[in-house]
Structures are given as C-alpha cells and as structure tokens.
C-alpha cells in the first residue's frame, strides 16, 4: 500500500500546476458590514492545535475556516469536546450536512492533523471549498494502525471538494503574498466583505533550497526541524486587525519572514 492522491471525477478537473503564482498588490480589506462580526476560537485539544474562524452576518454564519486539527495528549477528552463543538458550528454554516470554506494545515505532524479524520466521520456529507497545506503532499502519508496500508488525510479532505486536483494545493518554497515594493498583501487565500486571509510564508527555505521551486523538489523525508520550519503561516485580516497563525513555525521560519519586511505591521496579534 501506498497513498495515492484522490482524483475526483469532475469535468473541469485538469492536471495540477506547481508554477509559483505571481505576487501582486491590492488595497487593504475594508470593514465588516453592518450587523456583522467575526469570532476566532482557539480550541483546547490537549497537546495540538486548532483555530476556528467564523464570520457572522445578521445571526447567520456566512464564512468559516479551520487551521489545523490534531491532538496527541489528552485527545480523548479535550479533543472530543473540540470535535463536538466544531461539528455543531460547521453544520450551522450549511445545514444539514455542514460546510467549510477553507481548511489550512500548517504541517504534517499528528498533533496538527490527526483529528481531521474524526471530523470527516462525524460529518460524512460535509463539503469543503478548498484545502491549503504546508510542506509536501507525500509527507501527510501515515500508516494505518494494525494494518499494512497507508492513508493520506489530504486525499480524504480532497474527496469533499469539487475537484481535489484544483482545490487541494500546497506552495512553492518561500512562497508569500507579501509585496515588499508596495507594502501590501495580495492575493488573498480566502476573503469576503471585511475579512481576508493572506499567505505570510510557506515552506521556508531549508539549507540549499532555491526560492520558488515547486513542492515536489522538497526532500522526501523531512526531519522534525524541517517539517516544523515548513509550516504554513497565514495573516488573518478582519476589519484591519491582523492575526498571525503559524502552526509550529520555528526560528528559521520567522527568520525568513523577518527578511521579507522592511517595516512594522500595525495591529498585529499572534
């Protein structure tokens, strides 16, 4: 058994492209509309991470995103409570089956990924617009306990999108939405009225890696430091206030990020 990428049958599904996307500029996101507010939940999952974001207008959830979902210690109690909360909120987004606008996965480690499978089982008909991940696709392959076979959570999440080849995507080495010439982020990974999520950094260069090369050129088997340093780091912008979410980003990740900027961003929370 080897993990194979899920290829959903879809008339518009074309082969994936690893061509690094160009950095462009755009005006900053405006304010939330009247009757709207945002909620950012940092969920207790034991040792692990899960951040869940909701945009609410006139009492209805009009946008949602999840960043990581995993636990390796105390997962039976804390992880279970987090899954119950998430499943209830996600169904509210699109009753009765549930929907997530975008899933962000910072990196491959179990304490950031291993509860996604339980969420999919809890909501068997939930749909997902898009999945973005740090590191390399093959890094997410794991052995099924007590079986001689492997699984890849990106396959399972991709099966919930309309086309896995289009909507389950990684990043090139050192990718970012930041344009230092204009001091602005563009394009957003996820956006709506008054909110947006931008790529601060993904796949920070490791040793001799060249900026802009596709994820397939990243090493097959990372050590722990490399997996963490490749963490996907996003900037969540809500009505002009910015929150940085970064998985297990390490010193090399933030050292690389520091080299991107020539000025300090205002109203940033971590």
């Amino acid at each position: 058994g080897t993990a194979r990428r899920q290829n959903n049958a879809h008339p518009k599904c074309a082969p994936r492209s690893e061509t690094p996307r160009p950095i462009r500029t755009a005006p900053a996101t405006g304010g939330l509309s009247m009757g709207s507010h945002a909620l950012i939940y940092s969920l207790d999952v034991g040792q692990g991470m899960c951040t869940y974001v909701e945009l609410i207008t006139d009492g209805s959830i009009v946008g949602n995103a999840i960043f990581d979902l995993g636990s390796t210690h105390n997962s039976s109690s804390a992880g279970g409570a987090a899954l119950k909360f998430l499943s209830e909120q996600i169904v509210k987004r699109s009753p009765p089956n549930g929907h997530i606008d975008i899933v962000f996965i910072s990196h491959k480690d179990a304490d950031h990924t291993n509860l996604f499978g339980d969420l999919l089982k809890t909501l068997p008909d939930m749909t997902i617009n898009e999945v973005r991940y740090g590191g390399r696709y093959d890094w997410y392959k794991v052995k099924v306990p007590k079986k001689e076979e492997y699984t890849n959570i990106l396959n399972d999440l991709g099966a919930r999108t309309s086309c896995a080849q289009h909507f389950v995507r990684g990043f090139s080495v050192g990718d970012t939405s930041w344009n230092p010439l204009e001091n602005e982020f563009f394009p957003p990974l996820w956006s709506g009225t008054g909110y947006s999520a931008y790529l601060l950094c993904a796949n920070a260069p490791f040793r001799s890696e060249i900026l802009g090369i596709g994820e397939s050129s990243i090493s097959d088997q990372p050590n722990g430091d490399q997996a963490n340093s490749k963490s996907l780091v996003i900037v969540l912008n809500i009505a002009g206030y910015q929150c940085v979410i970064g998985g297990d980003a390490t010193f090399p990740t933030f050292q690389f990020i520091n080299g991107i900027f020539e000025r300090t961003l205002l109203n940033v929370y971590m």
Side-chain angles (χ1 to χ4, degrees):
T2 57
R4 292 186 299 173
R5 185 163 307 179
Q6 184 86 23
N7 183 3
N8 291 356
H10 192 276
K12 297 182 180 179
C13 212
R16 288 164 53 93
S17 170
E18 289 189 355
T19 303
R21 54 179 176 72
I23 295 176
R24 297 177 293 163
T25 58
T29 301
L32 294 170
S33 59
M34 292 292 292
S36 298
H37 64 281
L39 296 172
I40 303 176
Y41 299 93
S42 181
L43 301 182
D44 179 6
V45 290
Q47 162 148 353
M49 179 176 173
C50 179
T51 301
Y52 180 66
V53 182
E54 288 181 337
L55 284 301
I56 300 171
T57 298
D58 297 329
S60 298
I61 300 173
V62 298
N64 65 348
I66 186 169
F67 191 103
D68 286 352
L69 179 57
S71 177
T72 53
H73 296 290
N74 199 29
S75 59
S76 59
S77 55
L83 283 170
K84 182 177 184 297
F85 169 79
L86 285 171
S87 61
E88 292 172 351
Q89 296 304 110
I90 290 168
V91 165
K92 293 177 185 177
R93 172 71 172 95
S94 181
N97 298 325
H99 180 77
I100 304 175
D101 289 355
I102 189 165
V103 173
F104 296 107
I105 305 182
S106 63
H107 65 299
K108 71 175 187 68
D109 288 352
D111 58 345
H112 293 255
T113 63
N114 66 3
L115 292 179
F116 277 114
D118 294 321
L119 180 64
L120 295 176
K121 292 176 183 177
T122 303
L123 299 174
D125 297 313
M126 176 188 71
T127 56
I128 300 171
N129 274 358
E130 189 171 5
V131 180
R132 304 304 304 267
Y133 60 91
R136 180 171 167 157
Y137 197 103
D138 293 343
W139 288 0
Y140 291 84
K141 181 179 72 173
V142 296
K143 189 176 184 297
V144 178
K146 300 180 180 179
K147 294 185 180 180
E148 293 301 319
E149 58 186 66
Y150 292 81
T151 185
N152 189 319
I153 191 59
L154 295 178
N155 286 347
D156 300 331
L157 292 169
R160 301 298 184 90
T161 69
S162 62
C163 177
Q165 287 183 322
H166 279 170
F167 299 116
V168 180
R169 295 183 291 161
F171 299 91
S172 59
V173 169
D175 206 353
T176 181
S177 297
W178 181 254
N179 186 325
L181 299 178
E182 301 293 339
N183 286 325
E184 290 180 336
F185 285 105
F186 191 89
L189 302 176
W190 173 59
S191 64
T193 302
Y195 68 91
S196 53
Y198 296 95
L199 177 62
L200 180 53
C201 175
N203 299 336
F206 185 74
R207 294 181 178 171
S208 60
E209 287 178 345
I210 300 172
L211 288 177
I213 61 173
E215 66 165 90
S216 62
S217 298
I218 299 172
S219 67
D220 290 335
Q221 297 297 329
N223 60 27
D225 289 339
Q226 186 185 5
N228 288 340
S229 69
K230 285 286 190 290
S231 283
L232 167 62
V233 184
I234 66 168
V235 175
L236 181 63
N237 185 332
I238 298 178
Y241 289 86
Q242 299 173 83
C243 173
V244 175
I245 307 175
D248 280 347
T250 57
F251 176 77
T253 317
F254 289 105
Q255 186 178 42
F256 177 74
I257 290 172
N258 287 339
I260 296 173
F261 296 100
E262 295 182 354
R263 69 181 181 92
T264 301
L265 298 178
L266 301 178
N267 299 326
V268 175
Y269 303 88
M270 298 185 67

